[in-house]
Amino acid sequence: MTASTLKSYTCKDLAQMARSEGITGWHSMRKDELVAALVRAKRKSQGKGAVKSAVTKKLQQRPTASPERLRVQREISRVQQESAERKNLSCTSEGRPEPQKDRIVVLVRDPYWLHVCWEITPQSVERARSVLGQDWHGSAPTLRLIRVLDGGGGRLERCIEIHGGVSNWYVDVSDPPNSYRVEIGYRATGGEFYCLARSNTVTTPVPGSADVVDNNWTDVAENADRIYAMSGGYSADGASMELQELLEERLRRRLGRPSEIRYGVGAAGDSRDGDELRLAVDAELVVYGSSDPNTHVTVSGEPVAVSPDGSFAVKVHFPDRRQVIPIVASSADGVEQKTIILGVERNTKLLDPVVKDTVAARS
């Protein structure tokens, strides 16, 4: 509606139209002012309508996502979720309860392998995310293997990148015997390390013939006492509480010294009718070594089987006295021969028995 058309209306009609358009102050306006106000209101209304129409048209023209684009978006979401799960150390196997505290325990499996077990709470992972800040995205879950030195200090051996969804890791070590501890946390791309938990200290044993004769031992349930002992459970300092708690929770039985768990209060009810406790001990000596393949080896004059790699091991009687054991290796053609004399002595002593007061132990 133009200004000339509006001028053909009476002042009363224009006032009514201004009132309908919501123009403020219409009741005090003259006719020319009402016409000008109505023209401005009409232009403003037309402008809003044009903008709304343009937006509606643009939305209608927006192309819908193609099936391929949707597939790519789903794949990106899946990869992002998997990456987050692999970084989250609080994510463990299904069926396991959520951990209540942070702990990491190292078990000695043999002279060259450590078994590392851990539990990390989601709250600790969130704290690591906050502390690392922008470095979080480039960080990686990491185990730090530290060799414990004689003075009590430590030297970083290496960093081992791990991932979420698991709660244990096998770590190979060299040059036994040595003492180790392990730290678990997140290592940023710049080398900064945020530690979540530190393990107990363990010492690997001297390599021995048991590794050959027993063909190693791998089942924790069947060898828990041996693992506990090799990890410091029966040492003078004792094992860490985390180590004992972890094994007892997994095996659902107590671990400790026999005087603490086997012959304590629970054994008081087992009557032996005054019979004397029996204890008999004997010993065997394991002689092991290595030579060139295809050599002929004897121990105390008895031939010993030599493995393809040249290693050999044999058990010999170990009486309660001093003895000399010759080990002789001869080349396959019989031209060369080497001899090593092994001098050993066994001295067995029977100590006086000790009788404990079970009533005092119960109290």
Side-chain angles (χ1 to χ4, degrees):
M1 185 175 295
T2 63
S4 58
T5 305
L6 290 173
K7 288 180 180 179
S8 63
Y9 288 88
T10 64
C11 186
K12 184 177 179 180
D13 293 333
L14 293 174
Q16 187 65 30
M17 294 171 62
R19 180 182 178 185
S20 300
E21 292 290 335
I23 297 174
T24 58
W26 59 269
H27 57 279
S28 60
M29 292 183 182
R30 295 189 295 272
K31 183 175 182 177
D32 293 340
E33 293 175 336
L34 288 171
V35 170
L38 287 170
V39 171
R40 287 195 300 270
K42 190 66 176 179
R43 289 176 180 174
K44 187 176 181 181
S45 176
Q46 289 177 347
K48 289 183 178 180
V51 171
K52 183 176 181 180
S53 178
V55 171
T56 303
K57 185 177 180 181
K58 188 173 183 180
L59 291 174
Q60 291 175 348
Q61 293 177 349
R62 178 182 294 178
T64 58
S66 64
E68 177 65 18
R69 183 182 180 87
L70 292 175
R71 187 192 68 79
V72 171
Q73 290 176 345
R74 286 195 298 268
E75 182 67 17
I76 293 174
S77 299
R78 184 187 65 81
V79 171
Q80 290 175 342
Q81 182 178 357
E82 288 183 356
S83 176
E85 291 177 354
R86 289 181 63 85
K87 182 175 290 190
N88 189 357
L89 286 173
S90 64
C91 289
T92 56
S93 56
E94 294 184 359
R96 292 281 304 278
E98 183 177 296
Q100 301 301 313
K101 63 178 181 179
D102 300 329
R103 64 180 177 184
I104 178 172
V105 173
V106 179
L107 308 175
V108 178
R109 298 310 303 269
D110 62 32
Y112 299 98
W113 286 97
L114 303 178
H115 189 189
V116 185
C117 307
W118 63 83
E119 290 179 343
I120 302 297
T121 62
Q123 294 81 0
S124 296
V125 175
E126 287 302 317
R127 282 196 296 269
R129 184 199 298 267
S130 300
V131 171
L132 291 175
Q134 62 183 4
D135 293 330
W136 167 258
H137 299 288
S139 64
T142 302
L143 293 177
R144 295 210 311 174
L145 178 66
I146 298 174
R147 177 178 292 188
V148 180
L149 306 178
D150 294 337
R155 184 181 68 199
L156 179 63
E157 289 286 293
R158 68 180 189 274
C159 293
I160 305 162
E161 187 171 325
I162 57 176
H163 56 78
V166 298
S167 58
N168 65 93
W169 206 271
Y170 282 90
V171 178
D172 61 295
V173 294
S174 60
D175 302 328
N178 273 306
S179 297
Y180 298 94
R181 68 171 179 264
V182 178
E183 297 177 346
I184 188 170
Y186 290 93
R187 185 172 184 265
T189 53
E192 178 186 359
F193 183 76
Y194 181 82
C195 181
L196 296 174
R198 293 179 176 86
S199 77
N200 53 309
T201 299
V202 298
T203 302
T204 53
V206 177
S209 58
D211 300 321
V212 178
V213 177
D214 297 338
N215 196 26
N216 290 324
W217 38 273
T218 56
D219 186 53
V220 174
E222 294 181 0
N223 298 278
D225 288 307
R226 183 176 182 181
I227 297 174
Y228 184 70
M230 294 178 66
S231 303
Y234 299 123
S235 66
D237 297 332
S240 66
M241 289 302 298
E242 288 80 3
L243 170 62
Q244 185 170 346
E245 289 176 359
L246 177 67
L247 288 175
E248 290 178 347
E249 288 176 7
R250 301 292 173 84
L251 302 177
R252 301 182 186 277
R253 68 177 177 88
R254 292 188 61 195
L255 289 171
R257 298 181 184 276
S259 59
E260 298 170 355
I261 64 170
R262 297 181 183 174
Y263 308 118
V265 177
D270 297 336
S271 175
R272 294 173 39 244
D273 299 327
D275 294 340
E276 184 179 352
L277 178 65
R278 293 191 308 108
L279 176 61
V281 175
D282 202 352
E284 287 183 322
L285 180 66
V286 178
V287 179
Y288 66 96
S290 63
S291 183
D292 294 331
N294 300 321
T295 57
H296 179 72
V297 177
T298 62
V299 176
S300 295
E302 296 292 332
V304 177
V306 180
S307 301
D309 62 353
S311 62
F312 61 88
V314 63
K315 292 181 180 180
V316 298
H317 184 51
F318 196 16
D320 198 19
R321 60 179 172 81
R322 179 174 174 79
Q323 61 178 326
V324 176
I325 303 173
I327 299 98
V328 181
S330 303
S331 60
D333 56 10
V335 174
E336 187 178 0
Q337 178 176 292
K338 283 190 175 182
T339 302
I340 294 179
I341 301 298
L342 183 63
V344 293
E345 182 179 4
R346 172 184 165 187
N347 186 5
T348 306
K349 294 182 179 180
L350 178 62
L351 303 181
D352 293 334
V354 177
V355 180
K356 294 188 176 182
D357 187 352
T358 57
V359 176
R362 186 182 294 108
S363 60

